[in-house]
Amino acid sequence: MKQGFLKGIATGLVLAGLTCGARAEGFDPDDATFNPESKFVITPFGAIIGDPAQVSDLSTDRIGFTYCSAVPDKNRGLLLMASIVIPAQGGAEGGGHAMMMQVEQARNFIAYLRKGPEWANVASENKVGLFSKPIGDVIGTKGDAEHLSIKFVSDEQSQGSVRIEHVLGGVTKAFGLGINPALKYAAQAEFALETALAQTPGSAPAEDAEKSKLFE
């Protein structure tokens, strides 16, 4: 059921831009800046809704694109749905993957993605070569039923990248992003989260509600 839902999301996000009259934006796969005003971009795989960051599905070497939205949950409050849309390519059907995070988890996700440039500079300056190090756990810890983590990875030339690893139901999905796309994904996620919180302030964590009272 969930797989079909994600395929539906992927199809909608890839095709929606082709059926509306909005202005398309050019797409730079190494861009670090998120434009919330962009309706869709044109990629080699067609039109992708919004202003996505480009990622690589490390299990299939297929290209994917990011999309973020926020959804209410009666038990957990507002949730960020950080999605990766995989367009049809190489003879394979399109699909996708979604990561659901509570507000504080989402803020950690955003902060960890933004650590990439700092660590990339260290890797480059010290010529560390092949190297991988956890940046932080977003959901759970290693060995838990669900574990979402962010890692820093450098290649033989000490060029840095960011890896998202999501373990759920015994299945691991891993995605790689360049340093700039990781920053863009962080900005996209932050925009979706903070916009939703502003529209539904009751969904914010208790500490945010207390802080808001200071400005009433």
Side-chain angles (χ1 to χ4, degrees):
M1 180 71 176
K2 184 177 180 182
Q3 186 66 23
F5 172 71
L6 290 175
K7 284 184 179 179
I9 290 178
T11 301
L13 294 179
V14 172
L15 299 180
L18 298 176
T19 59
C20 71
R23 179 172 61 93
E25 300 288 339
F27 182 71
D28 177 358
D30 194 45
D31 190 10
T33 305
F34 171 66
N35 178 10
E37 301 299 321
S38 176
K39 301 304 181 184
F40 62 95
V41 297
I42 302 298
T43 76
F45 305 97
I48 308 291
I49 195 169
D51 186 22
Q54 182 169 301
V55 309
S56 175
D57 182 338
L58 298 179
S59 64
T60 63
D61 289 329
R62 290 191 293 166
I63 297 300
F65 300 92
T66 63
Y67 181 79
C68 293
S69 59
V71 295
D73 182 278
K74 65 178 182 180
N75 296 317
R76 295 186 291 169
L78 191 73
L79 298 179
L80 174 73
M81 184 167 72
S83 303
I84 294 173
V85 178
I86 310 294
Q89 56 196 276
E93 291 185 12
H97 185 74
M99 298 165 285
M100 308 297 291
M101 296 167 241
Q102 296 178 41
V103 173
E104 287 309 309
Q105 293 169 338
R107 287 177 174 159
N108 286 335
F109 178 76
I110 293 163
Y112 296 154
L113 289 175
R114 286 177 169 157
K115 293 287 287 185
E118 176 186 337
W119 288 31
N121 288 337
V122 171
S124 178
E125 290 171 1
N126 292 277
K127 297 180 172 60
V128 300
L130 287 171
F131 185 72
S132 175
K133 184 176 177 62
I135 296 177
D137 294 319
V138 177
I139 300 174
T141 58
K142 189 174 182 179
D144 287 348
E146 182 175 15
H147 181 212
L148 174 60
S149 62
I150 309 295
K151 294 183 177 181
F152 172 79
V153 180
S154 67
D155 61 18
E156 291 178 342
Q157 289 73 45
S158 301
Q159 298 296 309
S161 63
V162 171
R163 180 178 298 168
I164 299 171
E165 293 186 0
H166 188 206
V167 181
L168 183 63
V171 177
T172 300
K173 294 292 294 183
F175 303 94
L177 302 89
I179 297 300
N180 283 345
L183 293 177
K184 187 173 186 179
Y185 198 11
Q188 184 186 43
E190 184 176 56
F191 179 79
L193 179 68
E194 298 303 332
T195 298
L197 286 172
Q199 293 171 346
T200 56
S203 297
E207 61 268 26
D208 282 7
E210 288 300 315
K211 293 174 185 176
S212 294
K213 290 179 181 178
L214 298 174
F215 300 95
E216 291 179 353

